[in-house]
């Protein structure tokens, strides 16, 4: 297994070019360069990059996977109505996963699972945080499989949520509760 040579660290400014390239390669949606700036400078976004120390091509600190997320107030999130208890009143927060990806040649080694665990650990460390959530396009079976395996619950289907090249696609909303349910 290559697990022992993979480590996780925050994304930094020197990663912007590669990060932008990987996003372009693996996502059907374009992200603005401002997004990558915000990620790399930690402006309202937390992030982890996976790097492979065993590479001998001089890229042993280059991201081969990433996860980006944002802390949001429960009241300002689109899922507040789906949460039980007094989420609306009590200043609860949530962590929203924006993007997650692993380059093709590194898939199926548990790297995305580890990146998700980093976010769950982070969310668990925030006293006000209730849950981690995300949207995934309905045809992305590998990702849906992964979220279910990681005990995320699918709580909503959003018809036509994504608009890609003039076509509407449904999305699923997945939630992982760190406190309560
Ligand atoms: N050996 C073999 N298989 C393994 C190992 C291992 N050591 N470890 C885990 N796996 C298996 C997992 O169990 C899982 O499926 P299975 O249990 O049924 O076999 C499968 O591999 C995937 O788990 P990971 O390895 O943790 O995931 P991976 O690192 O391959 O990344 C991802 C998954 C992110 C979906 C990847 O395919 C990808 O980048 N896709 C394109 C971008 C994308 O779709 N991102 C998510 C969009 S949604 C969003 O961004 C919010």
């Amino acid at each position: 297994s290559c697990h022992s040579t993979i480590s996780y660290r925050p994304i930094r400014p020197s990663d912007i070019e590669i990060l932008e390239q990987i996003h372009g390669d693996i996502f059907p949606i374009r992200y603005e360069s401002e997004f990558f700036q915000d990620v790399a400078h930690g402006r309202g976004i937390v992030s982890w990059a996976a790097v492979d120390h065993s590479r001998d091509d001089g890229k042993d600190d280059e991201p081969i996977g990433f996860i980006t997320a944002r802390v949001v107030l429960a009241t300002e999130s689109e899922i507040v109505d789906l949460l039980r208890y007094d989420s609306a009143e009590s200043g609860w927060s949530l962590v929203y996963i924006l993007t997650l990806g692993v380059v093709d040649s590194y898939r199926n080694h548990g790297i995305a699972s580890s990146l998700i665990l980093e976010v769950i650990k982070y969310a668990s460390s925030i006293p006000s945080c209730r849950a981690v959530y995300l949207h995934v396009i309905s045809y992305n079976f590998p990702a849906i499989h992964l979220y279910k395996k990681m005990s995320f619950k699918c709580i909503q289907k959003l018809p036509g949520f994504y608009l890609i090249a003039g076509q509407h696609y449904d999305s699923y909303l997945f939630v992982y509760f760190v406190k309560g349910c």
Side-chain angles (χ1 to χ4, degrees):
S1 153
C2 70
H3 280 216
S4 54
T5 71
I6 306 292
S7 72
Y8 302 88
R9 60 158 177 81
I11 290 166
R12 41 186 185 237
S14 56
D15 299 326
I16 288 178
E17 200 175 324
I18 184 76
L19 195 66
E20 203 159 352
Q21 189 197 312
I22 303 173
H23 275 70
D25 289 346
I26 68 177
F27 291 119
I29 295 168
R30 297 238 58 86
Y31 291 86
E32 302 293 326
S33 67
E34 196 188 340
F35 169 71
F36 300 101
Q37 293 290 337
D38 290 348
V39 169
H41 294 279
R43 288 197 287 255
I45 293 176
V46 288
S47 68
W48 287 262
V51 299
D52 179 3
H53 298 296
S54 72
R55 288 174 77 169
D56 50 14
D57 54 5
K59 297 180 174 177
D60 59 334
D61 193 41
E62 184 176 289
I64 48 91
F66 57 83
I67 193 162
T68 64
R70 183 191 296 289
V71 180
V72 298
L73 286 174
T75 44
E76 287 169 13
S77 90
E78 59 270 71
I79 70 163
V80 66
D81 298 339
L82 303 170
L83 301 172
R84 294 202 281 125
Y85 305 115
D86 52 350
S87 327
E89 298 103 70
S90 52
W92 289 115
S93 62
L94 304 165
V95 172
Y96 181 60
I97 295 176
L98 297 158
T99 63
L100 163 68
V102 173
V103 302
D104 212 21
S105 56
Y106 281 92
R107 288 184 190 164
N108 290 316
H109 288 90
I111 294 173
S113 306
S114 297
L115 287 163
I116 292 169
L117 283 178
E118 293 292 337
V119 170
I120 290 174
K121 255 194 291 173
Y122 170 75
S124 306
S125 77
I126 303 173
S128 66
C129 185
R130 286 286 304 280
V132 177
Y133 75 109
L134 57 88
H135 290 106
V136 60
I137 201 157
S138 59
Y139 63 70
N140 191 346
F141 302 114
I144 289 168
H145 176 87
L146 173 66
Y147 300 135
K148 287 184 173 166
K149 191 188 67 170
M150 302 293 293
S151 303
F152 280 67
K153 305 288 175 241
C154 183
I155 64 165
Q156 196 178 36
K157 181 181 184 175
L158 295 145
F161 181 82
Y162 290 104
L163 179 61
I164 298 166
Q167 279 272 121
H168 287 279
Y169 297 92
D170 300 344
S171 98
Y172 294 120
L173 202 153
F174 277 88
V175 179
Y176 179 96
F177 289 97
V178 295
K179 290 181 195 71
C181 63

